[in-house]
Amino acid sequence: MEANGPPPSARLSPADREVLWLYLLTRLAIWITAYCARWLFPADPDTRQPAGVFAPFQHWDWAHYVHIARDGYFPDGAGPALGGWDNREAFFPGFPLLLRAVHVVVPHWTAAGLLISFAAGAVAVLALTRIARLHLRHPSAGRRAAQFLLLSPCAVFLAVGYTEALFLALALPAWLAAQRNHWPLAATLTTLAATVRVTGLFLAAAIALHFLLAVRTHRRWTALPWLALPALPAALYSWYLYAHTGDWMAWQHAQERGWHRTFHAPWEAWSRTWDAAFSHTQATGYAGMFQAELLAMAVGLLLLALLIRRRRWPEALYLALNLWALGTSYWYMSIPRATLVWWPLWIALTAWSLRRPRLTTIFLCLGVPLTTLVTLTFMTGRWAG
């Protein structure tokens, strides 16, 4: 679908303000949950004092981001050749660099990370609502898309010091710019997104395909060189890692060492994850987590089939690259979290709910308990992320 027109106004419409109000309410709910988690789920059940105010937000990958921001990738010559290395080079530098910059103004590291995600999440939600309104042409489309995203099971990761909110704050405006054929802006924002997550390269591929489909009509090839710009962050980061480790594939090797992201055929990854979920070889908490991984992959495959059927080729390419990267590891890992950056999913759910209004009620009744469970799981640090 091609949508020409001027860039969207920076002014907030009444619909935008309504979405921001929803965004603030969901942030408040997460902060209340964090406060309660400190008192109700302490690490030591006999403690008389709750954990610190920011303790619920300091689990799992957050430690890697703050260590990179504070100490760099290879402090004092440390690196993968040393025992006990934390494989921090598996994380792209965009978020840690911004975290270090914000820390100059906000001295507390966790508060700085939360501030980044809070501001970025607001931008992301507004961009998603405008994409929904652009495609669906319905007055409530934007609000519903925001509801689906903000109340999705893994929505807590948009509120903590992780990369999802920042990535979406760059990727969604980039996609919106591409839909309006503003290619230099789309390429620039995609380049910034590619500093945050490797998923930015998948977005770049989708935008390049959208450009090729668009120029079949307009024959405007002058913007073509801009499409190479998003490859620059990955190239520079690979060069940086090579300079410190002598390994051009240091990022991939860190993924393999730390998270078993070695390449396996898709059916092998599915089979291994299925066994972990249902063969009683894992503790029940981990088995449940692997079941969620399988469900998220199934949702992704169904969404991909829908996009192909509707000939939404750029979105299908973006999702297919995501699924390939996630579905060819030793076993599935972090796919439920990855659904947050599958914006076609939230647009598809919105379109479906406009035809079948009961879907919104069903989603809220089933999704909110799962959202609460995942939020508490993160804030208590009970499972691996």
Side-chain angles (χ1 to χ4, degrees):
M1 178 178 179
E2 183 178 328
N4 295 301
S9 172
R11 295 182 179 179
L12 297 178
S13 66
D16 291 333
R17 288 193 289 271
E18 181 182 3
V19 166
L20 286 179
W21 176 243
L22 172 64
Y23 178 72
L24 289 174
L25 286 177
T26 56
R27 301 312 89 181
L28 179 61
I30 288 174
W31 298 332
I32 291 174
T33 303
Y35 176 82
C36 294
R38 296 168 52 228
W39 291 88
L40 298 177
F41 303 101
D44 179 1
D46 296 324
T47 186
R48 298 295 186 269
Q49 294 291 335
V53 173
F54 294 109
F57 303 101
Q58 295 172 337
H59 296 294
W60 303 344
D61 290 351
W62 167 250
H64 293 287
Y65 295 127
V66 74
H67 289 162
I68 296 168
R70 186 185 61 205
D71 306 321
Y73 279 99
F74 306 104
D76 301 324
L82 300 180
W85 180 241
D86 61 6
N87 301 303
R88 63 182 67 182
E89 66 271 27
F91 298 88
F92 271 41
F95 182 81
L97 284 173
L98 182 58
L99 178 61
R100 187 176 183 88
V102 173
H103 178 257
V104 174
V105 180
V106 182
H108 195 285
W109 285 106
T110 307
L114 294 176
L115 179 60
I116 292 171
S117 290
F118 179 78
V123 173
V125 167
L126 285 177
L128 178 65
T129 62
R130 295 185 179 189
I131 292 172
R133 291 197 294 262
L134 178 67
H135 286 300
L136 301 178
R137 308 289 184 181
H138 192 282
S140 65
R143 175 176 53 80
R144 292 198 186 191
Q147 283 180 332
F148 286 129
L149 173 64
L150 294 174
L151 299 176
S152 61
C154 288
V156 64
F157 292 100
L158 295 173
V160 299
Y162 274 48
T163 59
E164 281 80 1
L166 181 58
F167 176 80
L168 286 175
L170 297 166
L172 292 179
W175 185 253
L176 188 60
Q179 295 298 291
R180 298 179 179 276
N181 295 331
H182 301 305
W183 304 111
L185 177 60
T188 300
L189 291 171
T190 302
T191 302
L192 294 174
T195 70
V196 178
R197 296 171 65 97
V198 70
T199 321
L201 297 178
F202 307 155
L203 173 66
I207 287 180
L209 178 57
H210 181 64
F211 173 82
L212 294 176
L213 295 175
V215 297
R216 291 189 307 176
T217 302
H218 298 289
R219 305 295 181 185
R220 297 173 182 171
W221 293 94
T222 55
L224 183 61
W226 283 95
L227 302 182
L229 190 62
L232 186 60
L236 290 176
Y237 186 47
S238 295
W239 175 81
Y240 168 81
L241 294 180
Y242 174 77
H244 285 80
T245 66
D247 181 6
W248 285 105
M249 299 295 292
W251 176 81
Q252 177 59 38
H253 293 154
Q255 292 275 336
E256 294 173 358
R257 288 191 305 269
W259 293 270
H260 304 291
R261 293 193 183 275
T262 53
F263 178 80
H264 293 267
W267 50 89
E268 292 177 353
W270 174 277
S271 176
R272 195 170 286 114
T273 308
W274 183 277
D275 288 342
F278 297 110
S279 65
H280 306 291
T281 60
Q282 302 286 332
T284 56
Y286 284 96
M289 183 178 67
F290 282 115
Q291 291 172 27
E293 299 284 348
L294 291 168
L295 178 60
M297 174 59 76
V299 169
L301 292 173
L302 288 173
L303 177 61
L304 179 60
L306 176 66
L307 293 172
I308 292 174
R309 179 181 178 184
R310 295 184 176 179
R311 299 186 178 183
R312 304 294 302 227
W313 304 119
E315 292 98 324
L317 176 61
Y318 173 77
L319 182 60
L321 291 172
N322 272 272
L323 293 176
W324 179 260
L326 294 165
T328 54
S329 296
Y330 178 81
W331 51 25
Y332 295 166
M333 186 178 299
S334 300
I335 300 180
R337 267 180 59 192
T339 61
L340 292 172
V341 302
W342 298 351
W343 78 88
L345 174 61
W346 315 119
I347 302 300
L349 286 174
T350 300
W352 191 11
S353 73
L354 292 174
R355 295 192 300 271
R356 300 178 181 272
R358 289 184 180 178
L359 175 66
T360 303
T361 303
I362 294 172
F363 181 88
L364 293 177
C365 290
L366 298 180
V368 170
L370 291 175
T371 304
T372 304
L373 175 62
V374 174
T375 301
L376 286 174
T377 297
F378 176 85
M379 292 183 174
T380 56
R382 300 298 184 186
W383 300 335

